[in-house]
Amino acid sequence: MAATQNSVESETQRETKRHKPDENDGKPAAESSISGFEVGRILRDSAREKNIFVHGKIDDQEAIVILEKTPITQDVLPEMLKKSTQLLEMKNDIYSTYQLQPPPYLNGVKTTVICPATEKHVKKYQRQETFLIEETEEDYQSITLPYINSQSFSVQWVYNILEKKAEADRIVFEDPDPQDGFVLLPDFKWDQKQVDDLYLIAITHRRDVKSLRDLTPDHLPLLRNIREKGLEAIMKRYSVPASKLRVMLHYQPSYYHLHVHFITLDYEAPGCGVERAHLLTDVIQNLQDRPEYYRKHALTFPIRADDALLSKFREAGRV
């Protein structure tokens, strides 16, 4: 997956990433009342994507609230049209526009709360200029890897999932094998109400692989297992065939624990661009053809202006 943990992927949807309990030092967001949120400043908003990222406070703790309009699905459409109040805004010949007010239970807003929020979270959700880095093997060894090792990028929230301490009820499938096994669960960007924007994440049980750079032919059984059993589980649960899915990894990742994205082709998900996405089938083929491909091959990735890793590349004269 993409850049460092405090870097932002290229689009707004990625910003509604999975809430990471390990990064919260106080009570979890679920225990915080959204009604007590004091609005501070808008970090980012998007009329096209119909979401907004707000920085403020809850009970004197720094907080970020992400509001996203939920999609209109076919099953609620008849009731919405029948029970909504409509206000005519404009009529001209055959064209007319209305302000539609659905009943409250059909007018939900998906809300994600991060509390307490750190400065890393604030930077992550701010709109930032983005740069493209071409990272060579030498760059990785002399710049990226030392930077990763010097930072405290916690993935305790991942371990909580693997150990069934959190989100156990959301797991769609699990292969418990410690070497080649994984858990499959919905990404928080997917509301699970329709398969048009299906988005699931496979998280490996083994904890010694941070990203693409660590992959060798020894990991081929793991990668093949994720692809085969992940696709089988999605077909069985959601009736979505392999031909309708993107199965990919990001580089750099947004968190340093190997995971794989399963995303329907109908959903233009964040991070699907060529500068960041690596199809799992291509990764497997590359490792079969060239065992040291991901150790030696130059990899390109986007990185935000405020990312400390970008500063390291600048200091080294690589940007």
Side-chain angles (χ1 to χ4, degrees):
M1 298 191 143
T4 60
Q5 182 154 335
N6 65 336
S7 45
V8 163
E9 300 123 40
S10 355
E11 303 174 15
T12 295
Q13 304 101 311
R14 75 198 139 211
E15 319 303 352
T16 53
K17 253 186 195 319
R18 174 183 312 281
H19 173 53
K20 303 176 182 178
D22 64 294
E23 295 177 349
N24 291 347
D25 299 324
K27 61 184 178 181
E31 298 177 12
S32 301
S33 172
I34 191 67
S35 63
F37 179 68
E38 299 175 12
V39 176
R41 57 180 171 137
I42 306 302
L43 298 176
R44 181 193 304 205
D45 61 355
S46 171
R48 180 176 65 86
E49 296 167 1
K50 297 179 176 57
N51 53 24
I52 188 169
F53 303 81
V54 189
H55 180 210
K57 289 188 175 183
I58 297 177
D59 297 332
D60 293 325
Q61 295 189 96
E62 297 295 320
I64 292 173
V65 170
I66 303 167
L67 303 174
E68 179 181 8
K69 290 292 292 181
T70 53
I72 299 172
T73 57
Q74 183 176 350
D75 59 325
V76 303
L77 183 59
E79 188 176 8
M80 177 176 286
L81 294 175
K82 182 178 180 180
K83 295 187 177 182
S84 295
T85 301
Q86 59 183 31
L87 176 65
L88 179 66
E89 292 185 332
M90 183 277 295
K91 183 172 180 61
N92 184 354
D93 193 31
I94 64 172
Y95 303 100
S96 56
T97 60
Y98 298 86
Q99 184 66 242
L100 208 64
Q101 297 292 340
Y105 64 93
L106 294 177
N107 200 27
V109 176
K110 179 182 176 183
T111 305
T112 301
V113 179
I114 302 175
C115 181
T118 66
E119 184 61 27
K120 286 184 178 180
H121 291 111
V122 174
K123 289 182 178 180
K124 175 179 180 179
Y125 295 119
Q126 281 181 317
R127 189 175 299 281
Q128 291 278 335
E129 186 178 6
T130 305
F131 298 85
L132 205 59
I133 297 292
E134 184 177 332
E135 178 193 81
T136 65
E137 177 189 11
E138 293 75 18
D139 291 334
Y140 180 74
Q141 294 296 333
S142 64
I143 303 174
T144 307
L145 186 57
Y147 172 75
I148 293 172
N149 291 337
S150 71
Q151 303 299 305
S152 55
F153 296 137
S154 175
V155 290
Q156 184 58 48
W157 68 274
V158 173
Y159 301 156
N160 289 342
I161 293 173
L162 296 176
E163 296 167 7
K164 310 298 191 304
K165 294 178 180 178
E167 304 186 46
D169 59 329
R170 302 181 69 247
I171 294 176
V172 171
F173 172 82
E174 178 177 14
D175 179 339
D177 186 271
Q179 288 299 308
D180 299 333
F182 64 97
V183 297
L184 182 71
L185 70 166
D187 187 277
F188 277 169
K189 287 185 284 297
W190 183 35
D191 62 11
Q192 303 181 61
K193 293 182 179 179
Q194 63 284 313
V195 297
D196 287 348
D197 54 354
L198 178 145
Y199 195 145
L200 294 104
I201 300 288
I203 302 176
T204 63
H205 277 296
R206 60 185 302 169
R207 305 182 181 189
D208 60 338
V209 186
K210 295 187 290 293
S211 73
L212 275 177
R213 284 294 189 191
D214 294 326
L215 293 176
T216 71
D218 291 340
H219 301 110
L220 284 171
L222 167 64
L223 299 176
R224 293 186 183 117
N225 191 49
I226 290 174
R227 187 177 188 279
E228 293 169 9
K229 292 184 179 177
L231 291 172
E232 180 181 343
I234 291 173
M235 181 61 186
K236 182 177 180 180
R237 179 73 170 265
Y238 304 107
S239 300
V240 178
S243 60
K244 295 290 291 180
L245 291 168
R246 296 185 189 93
V247 185
M248 65 187 193
L249 298 88
H250 287 152
Y251 191 80
Q252 296 236 356
S254 54
Y255 54 94
Y256 289 101
H257 181 106
L258 191 70
H259 54 288
V260 177
H261 302 253
F262 290 77
I263 310 170
T264 181
L265 289 173
D266 294 328
Y267 177 34
E268 293 298 324
C272 286
V274 295
E275 71 277 7
R276 187 160 183 248
H278 299 256
L279 292 175
L280 181 55
T281 51
D282 291 343
V283 172
I284 292 171
Q285 188 64 54
N286 288 336
L287 288 172
Q288 289 175 166
D289 294 343
R290 293 178 57 190
E292 295 191 340
Y293 184 93
Y294 290 103
R295 293 184 182 273
K296 296 185 174 297
H297 193 73
L299 297 179
T300 301
F301 60 88
I303 190 168
R304 285 169 41 123
D306 68 343
D307 197 310
L309 181 57
L310 178 62
S311 299
K312 299 298 182 182
F313 272 85
R314 279 178 168 153
E315 292 171 6
R318 293 292 288 117
V319 179

